Amino acid sequence: MAPANFGKKFAAAVIGLQMASAYIGSTFMPMIFGFIQQKTGIWIMPYYLAFFALLNFIFLELAYRRIAVYKNK
């Protein structure tokens, strides 16, 4: 979807940014969860996952709205 949303000129850069974000997330999310879990307990895991799922949804919607604004110009 990157070429359709961002154009062929920027698709490679967007995909690179997505991959870098995924690597950073997969590196630090378990460590951060471990620190939080030590302080609170394992019961926090569903809330932790729900928080990041909601955050992902919010940023996806913001990105689609910004794309729509630029496509309409």
Side-chain angles (χ1 to χ4, degrees):
M1 289 182 60
N5 287 329
F6 299 101
K8 291 181 180 180
K9 182 177 179 182
F10 299 110
V14 169
I15 292 170
L17 183 61
Q18 289 172 336
M19 292 299 297
S21 299
Y23 285 133
I24 290 170
S26 65
T27 300
F28 292 110
M29 279 187 64
M31 180 180 62
I32 293 169
F33 175 73
F35 290 136
I36 294 171
Q37 184 267 332
Q38 283 179 344
K39 302 292 183 193
T40 61
I42 195 68
W43 62 269
I44 197 79
M45 186 172 196
Y47 300 105
Y48 182 79
L49 294 175
F51 171 74
F52 282 105
L54 180 64
L55 198 63
N56 188 20
F57 178 75
I58 290 169
F59 282 127
L60 181 65
E61 285 299 317
L62 289 173
Y64 280 143
R65 288 179 187 179
R66 182 157 295 181
I67 289 168
V69 168
Y70 285 118
K71 281 189 174 183
N72 290 332
K73 284 186 178 184

